[in-house]
């Protein structure tokens, strides 16, 4: 007997309705013939669909949305090339524990294994996402989407892929109540682990705190500040934790990254007890575990596999960052040490190193001076999305961040081409918040097409591109370690005029030279109506932060 007469919806409509029911209000993608049923349904469910210009950008856009809100956005891609192009951003989100729903249209089941158009085996994505679902029947699609959002938003959060065969989307199915996505509550620390952590930290006279991206993911910035003040403990953040303690706070000591100075490292190494919370001690932040951290180490993380990676803690706590910070505050005595002094000494030493780079270097600006000029005219409440590359390390150590979700930069995946797309995602997430993208010219060239997305979507984002006509961090290493000529991987003889490219795509273009011009021009771009780009020249032969800051 044919049951189709009882059907009231299509699979595509049911999938999009489930997305909307779970709170997803934005999706990023490039439409293909296979995704059109989903696109049609999104238009009727108040889900904003942002059309990118290349799939490499869509997952970075959704990542920027989620990084600045804590809420997942969706990506919608065609099979094969679309799915694999987006994989770069999926891995970035996976490393950063950022929640995304990645909806990938799949090859039809009856063709699977026969090299149908765009076919890629679904298991290819298993190591790139937190979970990877393939919808096996039309009636189950909406329920799978609901389960996927639940998985993505349950700590430790992450991107979840749902593969839906293209032949399912237009099929009529009986209405299925997919249920409400339920996320588990924060995982509280076990009483015995908490007691051991309390005992270890309670008699410390020189405690310190290392705060990672898990503090942001758990919305634990307020609890971090409260505990740090209670213990009078200086706070060093990882690059993913940057901004979880405002960097003008008297206990803010610096950032653990490729440009960490000996004085900032000493804040951690000279502590008599260290609380590391929301970090996995990855090889990038720790310089492949090159820091001599205290034996009295309390490590708080969600991943059991993090415990003992690089450093063996005296106490390992598998729990939510916020719940643990709150519990420790309630159980530890107030500290009366010299935390503010230790933090100030580290900041002062870093400031002296940075000040030495002010003024022209070989007749051109250094990144430090250019970044300072930009920071002066960007409100502290603005969202700043920062690309990867050599200038990112300078930004980590010289561009203060003032809030846990106001500074976006990629984690250990460190992929270039994220700055502009993540700024797009941040602006879609909160149209009323000012958003500024900081990028090098190498990173911008990897996502230049998204300037057109800015214009087409009418997103008022200011893009500042630091132009040195070179992959400078690579050229510097090639010269220093391999004897190649200076600017070995530059393109100064074939320069790119970013202002002209921006104007051709409907984005206002500006140039600035001196620090005063940079401040005035960025202020002018911010005040303009619509997207804008400011091109700032910097010296390709300037020192790299990874070398300069470690002197």
């Amino acid at each position: 007997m044919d049951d189709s007469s009882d059907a009231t919806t299509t699979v595509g409509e049911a999938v999009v309705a489930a997305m909307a029911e779970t709170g997803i209000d934005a999706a990023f993608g490039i439409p293909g013939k296979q995704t059109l049923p989903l696109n049609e349904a999104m238009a009727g469910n108040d889900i904003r669909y942002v059309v990118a210009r290349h799939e490499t950008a869509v997952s970075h856009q959704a990542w920027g949305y989620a990084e600045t809100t804590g809420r997942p956005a969706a990506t919608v891609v065609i099979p094969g090339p679309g799915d694999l192009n987006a994989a770069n951003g999926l891995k970035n989100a996976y490393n950063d524990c950022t929640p995304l729903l990645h909806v990938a249209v799949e090859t039809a089941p009856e063709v699977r294994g026969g090299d149908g158009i765009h076919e890629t085996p679904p298991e290819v994505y298993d190591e790139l996402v937190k979970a990877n679902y393939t919808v096996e029947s039309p009636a189950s699609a909406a329920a799978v989407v609901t389960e996927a959002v639940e998985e993505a938003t349950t700590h430790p959060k992450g991107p979840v892929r749902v593969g839906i065969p293209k032949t399912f989307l237009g099929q009529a199915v009986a209405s299925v109540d997919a249920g409400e996505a339920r996320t588990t509550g924060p995982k509280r620390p076990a009483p015995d682990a908490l007691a051991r952590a309390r005992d270890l930290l309670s008699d410390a006279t020189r405690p310190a705190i290392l705060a990672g991206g898990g503090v942001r993911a758990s919305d634990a910035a307020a609890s971090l500040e409260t505990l740090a003040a209670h213990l009078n403990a200086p706070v060093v953040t990882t690059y993913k934790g940057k901004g979880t303690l405002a960097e003008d706070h008297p206990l803010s000591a610096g950032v653990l990254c490729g440009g960490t100075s000996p004085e900032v490292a000493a804040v951690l190494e000279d502590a008599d007890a260290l609380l590391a919370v929301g970090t996995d001690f990855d090889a990038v932040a720790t310089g492949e575990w090159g820091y001599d951290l205290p034996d009295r180490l309390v490590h708080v993380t969600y991943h059991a596999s993090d415990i003992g990676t690089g450093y063996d803690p005296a106490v390992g706590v598998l729990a939510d960052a916020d719940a643990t910070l709150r519990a420790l505050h309630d159980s530890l005595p107030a500290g009366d040490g010299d935390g503010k002094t230790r933090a100030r000494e580290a900041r002062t030493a870093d400031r002296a190193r940075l000040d030495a780079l002010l003024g022209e270097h070989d007749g051109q600006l250094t990144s430090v001076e250019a970044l300072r000029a930009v920071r002066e005219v960007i409100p502290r409440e603005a969202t700043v999305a920062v690309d990867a590359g050599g200038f990112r390390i300078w930004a980590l150590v010289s561009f203060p961040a003032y809030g846990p979700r106001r500074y976006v930069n990629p984690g250990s995946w460190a992929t270039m081409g994220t700055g502009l797309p993540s700024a797009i995602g941040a602006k879609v997430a909160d149209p009323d918040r000012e958003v500024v993208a900081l990028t090098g010219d190498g990173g911008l060239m990897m996502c230049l097409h998204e300037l057109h997305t800015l214009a087409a979507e009418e997103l008022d984002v200011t893009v500042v591109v630091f132009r040195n006509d070179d992959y400078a961090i690579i050229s510097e290493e090639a010269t220093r370690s391999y004897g190649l000529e200076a600017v070995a991987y530059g393109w100064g003889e074939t320069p790119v005029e970013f202002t002209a490219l921006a104007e051709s795509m409907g984005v206002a273009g500006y140039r600035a030279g001196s620090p005063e011009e940079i401040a005035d021009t960025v202020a002018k771009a911010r005040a303009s109506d619509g997207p804008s780009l400011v091109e700032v020249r910097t010296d390709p032969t300037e020192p790299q932060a990874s070398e300069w800051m470690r002197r």
Side-chain angles (χ1 to χ4, degrees), residues 189-369:
D192 60 335
L194 184 64
R196 287 185 287 122
R198 180 195 61 220
D199 291 345
L200 188 147
L201 294 169
S202 60
D203 61 350
T205 59
R206 289 175 59 83
I209 298 174
L210 176 64
V215 174
R216 175 187 291 109
S218 296
D219 293 320
S223 298
L224 170 67
E225 180 178 2
T226 299
L227 180 62
H230 182 67
L231 297 179
N232 198 3
V235 176
V236 175
T237 70
T238 67
Y239 47 91
K240 285 304 299 181
K242 183 176 171 72
T244 51
L245 183 69
E247 292 184 318
D248 55 357
H249 191 285
L251 287 170
S252 174
V255 179
L256 196 67
C257 64
T260 299
S261 67
E263 291 80 6
V264 172
V267 172
L268 303 177
E269 294 179 323
D270 294 346
D272 60 358
L274 175 62
L275 171 62
V277 57
T279 178
D280 59 1
F281 283 121
D282 67 71
V284 177
T286 63
E288 298 182 358
W289 308 287
Y291 297 104
D292 185 16
L293 300 185
D295 293 334
R296 289 158 59 95
L297 170 64
V298 176
H299 186 190
V300 182
T301 179
Y302 254 110
H303 291 279
S305 59
D306 294 343
I307 302 294
T309 297
Y311 299 97
D312 291 321
V315 180
V317 183
L318 294 174
D320 175 71
D322 190 56
T324 305
L325 289 167
R326 288 174 179 270
L328 287 173
H329 175 268
D330 293 342
S331 61
L332 285 170
D336 58 359
D338 59 350
K340 292 181 181 178
T341 300
R342 291 151 60 204
R344 183 177 65 250
E345 289 174 349
R347 293 196 309 271
T348 300
D350 274 10
R351 184 80 182 192
R353 282 187 176 84
L354 297 170
D355 284 349
L357 291 174
L358 299 183
E360 293 185 346
H361 180 261
D362 291 339
Q364 299 184 68
L365 285 181
T366 62
S367 294
V368 170
E369 186 148 24

Side-chain angles (χ1 to χ4, degrees), residues 83-110:
D83 213 355
L84 280 174
N85 282 334
N88 183 18
L90 294 180
K91 176 61 174 171
N92 184 46
Y94 186 36
N95 281 25
D96 289 355
C97 296
T98 303
L100 307 181
L101 173 67
H102 180 66
V103 179
V105 180
E106 279 281 1
T107 303
E110 60 271 19

